[in-house]
Amino acid sequence: MEDEPCPELVPIGGAEQSDAGPVRKIPVTIITGYLGAGKTTLLNYILTEQHNKRIAVILNEFGEGSALEKSLAISQGGELYEEWLELRNGCLCCSVKDNGVKAIENLMQRRGKFDYILLETTGLADPGAVASMFWVDSELGSDIYLDGIVSVVDAKHGLQHLTEEKPEGLINEASRQVALADLIIINKTDLVSEEELNKVRTSVRSINGFVKILETQRSRVDLSNVLDLHAFDSLSGVSLQKKLEHVKTTQAHLDKAIITVTFDIPGNIKEENLNLFIQNLLWEKNVKDKTGCTMDVIRLKGLVSIQGKSHQVIVQGVHELYDLEETSVAWKEDEKRTNRLVLIGRNLDKEIIKEVFIATVREERGNS
Ligand SMILES: Nc1nc2c(ncn2[C@@H]2O[C@H](COP(=O)(O)OP(=O)(O)OP(=O)(O)O)[C@@H](O)[C@H]2O)c(=O)[nH]1
Ligand SMILES: [Zn+2]
């Protein structure tokens, strides 16, 4: 019973799918970033680059005066539409006012016409809320999967956005977008000196110790860095282990800063204990730092070893939502089983979190 067969992940051959056959899930990449950072420029660039993908783009321009301009930029259509429009190169485009769920549902009726979805959030959006809908909306979840969150940071104004103070000590949008990202694009490097660029890079890194950082002008990036990141699923099982190994706990660099904390605890833990640890942290919020402030976790990633599971288990969390999924990577016979977690958030104290983790996973409950 220990070795439950894990379904093998096999690529589905051919583009054509019969009604009865398995359906290929469509990846969604969320493109976020503060107002004017270069999100739409990035989308335009991606749409015009050679990528052999049929991409569907959703522009979420909620409440922004420039929405019309944005649709114009992409569709050359001249008006704000909520209907899908086919571009000359076969890509699809649509501009919406809400968080995009409707648009995606609508889009899925055109299945077969596209193989990738890019969703641009508004500059003030919390990408976590958008990401969450892929977990909550199981209807959506069966058709599509979240591939990654890409945040565009303005090299010129990024620092200012990251340090902006919000009332009641709320986390500003720019920091949240950096904390949640799987890829950061520091754009508009033409507008800053090397020194200014270093400062932005250091601040971004101090918030998110995990994220890959690219620097661009006009959002020109190698698309392989943006698409098919598999940041949330077990297909990244192997590389995630490597990636996690390189993550370091960061030092607060900005005021009231968000930082990254990572640790590695050897052993083989019970799933219920892991759940308890995560729920205390994310739901009960009863884990506090030395000064009594609640630890506020925005993003959680990890690879853990669960008792009774032969394969590594990936942990993913965005705000209050989290998910455990067995990967296709089996623990080897002689391999030391270990649990590595990466947490990004505020008021994080590595030593305290480690202690809480150890105490929780060591605890016996119910059956010996
Ligand atoms: N100098 C410079 N300007 C840039 C660069 N990238 C984009 N821009 C300009 O910056 C402005 C904002 O770019 P957008 O791509 O619309 O930014 P956005 O993030 O989509 O903006 P919102 O949707 O309004 O939040 C545009 O005028 C772009 O032409 C760059 O690398 N350097
Ligand atoms: Zn835009």
Side-chain angles (χ1 to χ4, degrees):
M1 71 177 260
E2 293 264 331
D3 288 319
E4 274 189 27
C6 170
E8 284 290 328
L9 294 159
V10 287
I12 301 161
E16 252 31 276
Q17 284 152 12
S18 70
D19 282 350
V23 177
R24 193 207 302 256
K25 287 193 174 200
I26 306 284
V28 182
T29 293
I30 296 175
I31 305 208
T32 184
Y34 208 74
L35 299 170
K39 301 179 290 295
T40 305
T41 306
L42 175 65
L43 284 176
N44 274 322
Y45 176 69
I46 293 175
L47 284 178
T48 50
E49 269 298 279
Q50 280 304 320
H51 41 59
N52 296 320
K53 280 188 200 299
R54 291 165 309 165
I55 298 178
V57 171
I58 300 171
L59 296 169
N60 178 352
E61 305 283 5
F62 181 75
E64 283 170 45
S66 53
L68 188 66
E69 199 184 302
K70 297 299 153 41
S71 335
L72 252 173
I74 285 211
S75 72
Q76 296 131 22
E79 54 185 14
L80 179 64
Y81 45 86
E82 300 201 13
E83 281 308 304
W84 284 95
L85 200 102
E86 193 153 348
L87 305 183
R88 248 164 294 166
N89 61 359
C91 292
L92 293 164
C93 184
C94 156
S95 177
V96 297
K97 291 199 180 112
D98 59 16
N99 61 15
V101 184
K102 273 263 155 54
I104 292 181
E105 282 171 355
N106 185 309
L107 174 65
M108 292 321 284
Q109 294 168 5
R110 297 170 185 242
R111 201 174 242 303
K113 290 204 141 205
F114 60 95
D115 21 54
Y116 211 103
I117 302 174
L118 293 173
L119 175 62
E120 175 186 342
T121 72
T122 67
L124 296 176
D126 172 4
V130 185
S132 300
M133 82 196 188
F134 299 106
W135 264 314
V136 175
D137 196 321
S138 54
E139 196 99 319
L140 277 183
S142 58
D143 287 334
I144 62 183
Y145 68 89
L146 180 57
D147 182 71
I149 301 175
V150 175
S151 281
V152 187
V153 172
D154 186 326
K156 179 86 180 163
H157 301 106
L159 263 187
Q160 185 191 325
H161 299 153
L162 289 172
T163 47
E164 190 197 345
E165 293 217 18
K166 303 288 286 185
E168 292 164 49
L170 291 174
I171 298 171
N172 66 54
E173 293 89 359
S175 299
R176 204 178 275 281
Q177 290 164 353
V178 168
L180 283 161
D182 302 294
L183 170 71
I184 299 274
I185 297 173
I186 301 181
N187 186 42
K188 306 195 186 181
T189 57
D190 55 310
L191 299 181
V192 294
S193 65
E194 189 56 40
E195 197 188 339
E196 286 173 285
L197 185 58
N198 283 340
K199 278 193 188 150
V200 180
R201 194 191 302 115
T202 308
S203 297
V204 166
R205 177 57 75 209
S206 77
I207 292 174
N208 191 329
F210 182 86
V211 75
K212 177 168 183 164
I213 302 175
L214 299 174
E215 288 157 18
T216 61
Q217 295 184 10
R218 304 247 146 231
S219 306
R220 298 177 72 89
V221 284
D222 187 336
L223 292 188
S224 63
N225 285 317
V226 178
L227 307 180
D228 296 315
L229 299 180
H230 289 288
F232 284 82
D233 64 50
S234 57
L235 286 177
S236 63
V238 186
S239 56
L240 183 63
Q241 190 173 21
K242 288 232 162 56
K243 278 193 246 169
L244 289 177
E245 273 166 17
H246 291 111
V247 179
K248 292 197 176 67
T249 295
T250 60
Q251 291 276 311
H253 191 256
L254 305 165
D255 238 17
K256 302 197 201 91
I258 300 172
I259 58 162
T260 301
V261 157
T262 180
F263 57 86
D264 212 336
I265 307 284
N268 203 7
I269 61 179
K270 280 192 180 159
E271 187 162 346
E272 55 181 300
N273 287 348
L274 176 66
N275 280 322
L276 195 69
F277 169 76
I278 297 175
Q279 287 163 16
N280 279 334
L281 207 57
L282 303 188
W283 298 359
E284 308 299 332
K285 301 197 185 294
N286 57 18
V287 184
K288 312 227 171 2
D289 73 1
K290 281 194 202 80
T291 63
C293 290
T294 299
M295 296 199 197
D296 190 357
V297 177
I298 299 173
R299 186 86 154 93
L300 168 69
K301 267 180 202 254
L303 271 182
V304 294
S305 169
I306 301 282
Q307 286 179 22
K309 296 216 193 279
S310 54
H311 291 66
Q312 298 181 354
V313 170
I314 179 172
V315 183
Q316 282 288 352
V318 171
H319 295 312
E320 275 90 44
L321 292 175
Y322 76 96
D323 181 44
L324 306 179
E325 190 190 339
E326 200 164 350
T327 68
S328 57
V329 182
W331 292 104
K332 293 182 204 77
E333 281 285 308
D334 54 350
E335 191 174 5
K336 203 178 96 194
R337 288 203 178 206
T338 178
N339 304 276
R340 181 173 264 283
L341 290 182
V342 176
L343 304 105
I344 302 178
R346 248 190 341 178
N347 308 322
L348 302 187
D349 182 315
K350 175 172 167 172
E351 291 315 311
I352 294 179
I353 302 180
K354 252 173 87 169
E355 276 169 30
V356 173
F357 182 81
I358 292 169
T360 317
V361 299
R362 288 251 169 89
E363 217 158 302
E364 293 295 332
R365 50 203 84 245
N367 56 353
S368 69

